[in-house]
Amino acid sequence: MATALDYHTIRTIFSRFQAAEPEPLGELHHTNAYTLVVAVALSAQATDAGVNRATASLFPVVDTPQKMLDLGEEGLIAHIKSIGLYRNKARNVMKLSRILVEEYGGEVPSSRAALESLPGVGRKTANVVLNMWWGHPAQAVDTHIFRVGNRTRVAPGRDVVAVERAIEDNVPAEFQRHAHHWLILHGRYVCVARKPKCPACLIRDLCPFEDKTPEPKPARPRS
């Protein structure tokens, strides 16, 4: 496993991310902590854009656990059937909604352990909610962050938990709040999996990743 970059280089990388996007935002639409939990749970193995299309008609009428129970599982399916694994996700959303009503007074808990105990809510989902709603410096590592963390050596690790720990250990405290958003956006739009857009990368000179995408060839002048 490659070693992480030095502290000064990592600080420079995140200083550039911050300068380019001071307040990065998640791309899943939501109106409160509950709709955020639902949106993130639905986003497993689905795109944020696809989830947003499905919830565009759902969240205006369902924004609490009790309203979700009143809607019912089949009613929820009618909204989310365009999303992969929608039946299993609908089942989990109904279960977690019932738990929130019966055990938490209809409120979403701000504890990672409590969040992870909900059906369909794993560590990544819990960290997204803790970060985006309560402002905790939690690091929700997905495939984009795993790739960028290892390619740039900002947070190398053999699995998502190791990368999460590496971000916590290596990224200066002042950047922890937004670290996972900067990394996921960089991985989603610049440091993509197959053909990273290295010429457009604002940290290209600091990145040790060897497989650089070449500069585009200049157009030949017309004769």
Side-chain angles (χ1 to χ4, degrees), residues 65-66 69 94-109 118:
Q66 185 58 58
L69 295 178
M94 301 310 296
K95 288 179 180 177
L96 72 84
S97 297
R98 186 166 299 284
I99 291 172
L100 290 176
V101 168
E102 294 178 352
E103 299 183 19
Y104 296 97
E107 300 295 325
V108 175
L118 298 173

Side-chain angles (χ1 to χ4, degrees), residues 95-159:
K95 288 179 180 177
L96 72 84
S97 297
R98 186 166 299 284
I99 291 172
L100 290 176
V101 168
E102 294 178 352
E103 299 183 19
Y104 296 97
E107 300 295 325
V108 175
S110 58
S111 155
R112 178 186 281 112
L115 286 167
E116 287 191 54
S117 72
L118 298 173
V121 177
R123 187 177 185 86
K124 186 188 83 170
T125 299
N127 282 346
V128 170
V129 176
L130 290 172
N131 181 280
M132 290 180 62
W133 193 255
W134 283 288
H136 295 185
Q139 309 302 331
V141 178
D142 68 353
T143 56
H144 297 298
I145 295 177
F146 184 81
R147 179 175 66 254
V148 173
N150 279 286
R151 277 183 177 175
T152 63
R153 299 219 314 264
V154 162
R158 297 185 185 279
D159 53 46

Side-chain angles (χ1 to χ4, degrees), residues 175-196:
F175 302 119
Q176 286 281 331
R177 166 74 189 282
H178 294 313
H180 99 269
H181 277 131
W182 284 317
L183 292 171
I184 193 173
L185 292 172
H186 192 65
R188 185 172 289 168
Y189 296 111
V190 180
C191 194
V192 295
R194 294 187 179 181
K195 291 184 178 180

Side-chain angles (χ1 to χ4, degrees), residues 8 12 32 46 69 73 81 84 102 109 113-114 120-121 141 157 165-166 179 185 195-196 201 207 213 215-216 218:
H8 174 75
T12 302
N32 55 24
L69 295 178
E73 187 171 326
K81 59 185 177 182
E102 294 178 352
V121 177
V141 178
R165 294 285 183 257
L185 292 172
K195 291 184 178 180
C201 178
C207 178
T213 306
E215 297 282 355

